[in-house]
Amino acid sequence: MGDGAGRGAGAADAAGAAVAAALARDLDAGFADLYEAYRGAVFSTALRLCGRWAEAEDLSAEAFLRAYRALAGYGPDRIAGLRPRAWLLMILTNVWRNSVRSAARRPAAAGPIEDAPDPPDPGEGVEEAAARRETGRELAALLAELPEAQRAAVVLRHVTDLPVAEVAAVLDLPEGTVKSHVSRGLARLRRLRAARQGQRRDEWEGGPR
């Protein structure tokens, strides 16, 4: 398991270095590589952070726009030293946090949290798609009940599948703090899920016979 994780991290580092080198050579061409390499990770992370498809699209677009503007002001050496995935997800996380704070100052927007299925897989069957959609709705609703710090840590670690060190870089936190947020977040998710299942069981048992 450790060897597999190490190989995965090594491959991610190599891919990131290639993207950073492309950006340093030619910003516009390299940015196309950046977008193709990380748009899936950025959108999936945004979707699980905010819980709504349309909002995730807006957050992703804003993150890439801010990334391009920032890169335009960087020199080649600074760009070449970037870790693009962690850097992009740091921008996304900051955009999301700003949106949360802005939303707290205005009336709640329409649209249920449950409208957040996982991104579709063209190769899956109808049964798999239905199961995935239901799981995605449940996960979105549960994640929405976590405190902001725990939600971000859990999403980055277990949805985006980043190593702890990269999560720490994205959130600008010590690794020990990240591990604590992840552990507490997962424990809270388990309690929330158990409570929901108990509620459904009570409703089913108390229904018409």
Side-chain angles (χ1 to χ4, degrees):
M1 185 174 179
D3 290 344
R7 285 194 297 271
D13 289 344
V19 169
L23 285 165
R25 286 193 304 270
D26 183 317
L27 176 57
D28 290 335
F31 194 80
D33 293 343
L34 178 82
Y35 180 76
E36 287 301 320
Y38 300 115
R39 62 178 178 172
V42 168
F43 178 75
S44 294
T45 302
L47 181 62
R48 288 295 159 237
L49 287 173
C50 72
R52 295 182 178 89
W53 192 282
E55 187 177 348
E57 290 178 331
D58 290 343
L59 291 174
S60 300
E62 180 65 19
F64 277 108
L65 177 60
R66 292 192 184 194
Y68 185 86
R69 288 174 175 169
L71 288 166
Y74 291 177
D77 290 342
R78 184 175 182 182
I79 292 174
L82 285 177
R83 296 171 62 191
R85 181 172 67 175
W87 180 73
L88 264 177
L89 291 173
M90 180 186 295
I91 293 172
L92 171 69
T93 304
N94 289 334
V95 170
W96 168 66
R97 285 171 174 158
N98 290 339
S99 75
V100 170
R101 295 184 184 109
S102 296
R105 296 194 293 267
R106 60 178 186 265
I113 282 289
E114 286 79 7
D115 283 348
D118 290 322
D121 177 356
E124 70 184 353
V126 174
E127 295 84 356
E128 291 86 351
R132 174 182 53 75
R133 184 177 184 87
E134 188 59 36
T135 301
R137 286 177 169 175
E138 181 181 19
L139 178 60
L142 293 174
L143 285 170
E145 297 191 43
L146 292 184
E148 183 180 308
Q150 291 178 11
R151 192 191 320 180
V154 168
V155 167
L156 290 167
R157 181 69 186 94
H158 291 287
V159 177
T160 316
D161 201 26
L162 301 185
V164 170
E166 196 166 348
V167 177
V170 170
L171 299 179
D172 194 23
L173 293 171
E175 290 187 25
T177 303
V178 167
K179 290 177 181 177
S180 176
H181 284 331
V182 170
S183 177
R184 292 178 180 179
L186 291 176
R188 185 163 184 165
L189 285 175
R190 292 187 192 103
R191 291 195 299 270
L192 289 167
R193 189 166 187 266
R196 281 174 178 254
Q197 289 175 335
Q199 183 180 11
R200 288 173 187 158
R201 185 168 54 251
D202 291 344
E203 290 172 352
W204 182 80
E205 291 175 351
R209 300 181 181 277

